Amino acid sequence: MEKKLKKALILGASSDIGIEIVENYLKNNYIVYGHYNKNSNQLKNIKKNNKNLFLYKFNFLKSEKEIHKFLNKREFKDSDIFINASAFVKSVEYRNVDTNVLFNSFKVNLLPNIFLTQRLGNLMYKKKWGRIVNLGSIGVKFGGGYYNFPYSLMKHALEFFPKITRDWAKNNVLINTVRVGATNTKLHKKLPKKNLLEREKLIPLKRMATPKEIADYVYFLGSEENTYISHQVLTIAGGE
C-alpha cells in the first residue's frame, strides 16, 4: 500500500525563509499548503514544477470574520504540520506606538497562531501525530529594536505554550518556537535606519544567518526527523 503523504501548512510562505521551508518540505515528499499575502512570483514558479504545492493568498489585516473563514478552510484541517512564519513589521518608535499598530501586529503575528494551534492541535492529538513550529525573534531577548516593539511583543507571545499542549505531547504532537536571529533577507534590508554592518558586529559569529540555515532547522523540528524535542524555545542566532 502506498504511504499517505503528510501535509504541511505554512503561513508566510512567500518570505525568503518561507520559500526555503516550502522547498524543504517539497523535496522531502510532503504536500504543502502555502499561505502568502504578496511577493508570490517565486512561489508560483515553484508550483509550476510541483503538483504537491497548493497556494492560498490572504491578508490577515482583514476583518475578524474573514480571518476565521480563511483559517477554517477545509484543506487546512487535514494538516499534519503547522509552520507559523507569518510576519508583519511596521517601523515605528516605541513612544509613537498606537492601538492601530498593535492590533495589526496582533492580527498577523499572533492571532493565526492562536487559532490554528487550537484547532489543528486537537486534530493532531486525535490522529496521534503532529508538529507545530513558530518562528519567533531574537529581538525579544533585548526588548526588541527601537522601531519594532509591536512585532517583538507578538513574537514574544509565541514562546508561551498553552498548558493543554503538554497533554498533546503524549500523542506525539510536538510544538516548539525558534528565536530567529538576524538573517540576510530582503525584509531586513528594507528596514529604515538599520545599519546591517553594525548589526553583524553584534553577532558572535560575525555574520547573519542565511534563509536556508534557518529553514533547515525549522524543517527538522517540524518533520518526522524530530522525535523528542517539544515545548522548547530554540535560539538560532549565531551565539547571541
Side-chain angles (χ1 to χ4, degrees):
M1 182 181 294
E2 186 176 349
K3 182 182 178 182
K4 184 179 179 182
L5 300 184
K6 282 188 163 48
K7 300 174 181 178
L9 169 60
I10 302 170
L11 297 189
S14 63
S15 68
D16 290 341
I17 295 174
I19 290 286
E20 295 287 350
I21 295 172
V22 167
E23 295 203 296
N24 274 348
Y25 279 103
L26 292 174
K27 180 176 64 179
N28 287 284
N29 211 27
Y30 288 77
I31 293 172
V32 176
Y33 302 136
H35 153 264
Y36 70 96
N37 177 28
K38 51 187 178 180
N39 303 324
S40 62
N41 287 341
Q42 196 171 352
L43 268 182
K44 289 178 179 177
N45 285 333
I46 295 171
K47 179 174 172 54
K48 288 178 184 178
N49 301 310
N50 203 304
K51 64 181 181 181
N52 286 339
L53 175 59
F54 301 87
L55 300 180
Y56 303 86
K57 183 177 182 179
F58 187 76
N59 185 347
F60 282 108
L61 295 180
K62 294 188 176 183
S63 69
E64 184 178 348
K65 182 178 180 180
E66 290 173 295
I67 291 173
H68 280 286
K69 182 179 178 181
F70 176 75
L71 296 179
N72 271 320
K73 278 188 174 292
R74 178 179 53 80
E75 305 96 298
F76 297 172
K77 293 179 180 179
D78 199 27
S79 300
D80 304 286
I81 297 152
F82 168 41
I83 307 295
N84 178 28
S86 193
F88 171 82
V89 183
K90 176 72 173 178
S91 185
V92 57
E93 286 191 59
Y94 177 72
R95 61 186 174 184
N96 295 325
V97 170
D98 57 24
T99 53
N100 184 58
V101 174
L102 282 171
F103 286 159
N104 285 344
S105 187
F106 172 75
K107 287 169 76 173
V108 179
N109 297 320
L110 187 56
L111 185 112
N113 164 267
I114 292 173
F115 287 113
L116 283 175
T117 297
Q118 178 190 68
R119 295 165 186 170
L120 295 179
N122 276 317
L123 294 171
M124 292 172 183
Y125 178 80
K126 292 175 182 177
K127 291 190 291 187
K128 298 188 176 181
W129 198 94
R131 299 290 182 268
I132 298 172
V133 185
N134 303 306
L135 271 66
S137 171
I138 188 62
V140 306
K141 189 176 180 180
F142 310 110
Y146 287 108
Y147 301 96
N148 62 358
F149 168 77
Y151 170 82
S152 296
L153 178 64
M154 303 307 161
K155 290 296 183 180
H156 198 182
L158 295 177
E159 300 181 4
F160 183 89
F161 303 115
K163 185 170 180 58
I164 192 173
T165 62
R166 295 191 177 274
D167 296 333
W168 297 346
K170 67 186 177 186
N171 272 11
N172 204 13
V173 178
L174 311 183
I175 178 171
N176 294 284
T177 293
V178 172
R179 273 188 182 177
V180 179
T183 306
N184 189 12
T185 64
K186 291 189 286 290
L187 177 63
H188 241 112
K189 295 172 183 176
K190 288 180 180 178
L191 294 176
K193 303 179 183 179
K194 187 100 174 181
N195 188 322
L196 297 183
L197 291 177
E198 290 300 314
R199 180 66 182 87
E200 284 186 344
K201 292 178 183 178
L202 300 175
I203 305 170
L205 263 65
K206 301 304 177 187
R207 68 172 179 85
M208 291 189 178
T210 67
K212 186 177 187 316
E213 282 178 302
I214 301 299
D216 286 350
Y217 288 112
V218 171
Y219 170 76
F220 170 79
L221 291 170
S223 73
E224 293 164 290
E225 294 179 27
N226 175 20
T227 60
Y228 205 64
I229 301 174
S230 191
H231 291 81
Q232 301 302 309
V233 177
L234 294 96
T235 299
I236 303 173
E240 280 199 282

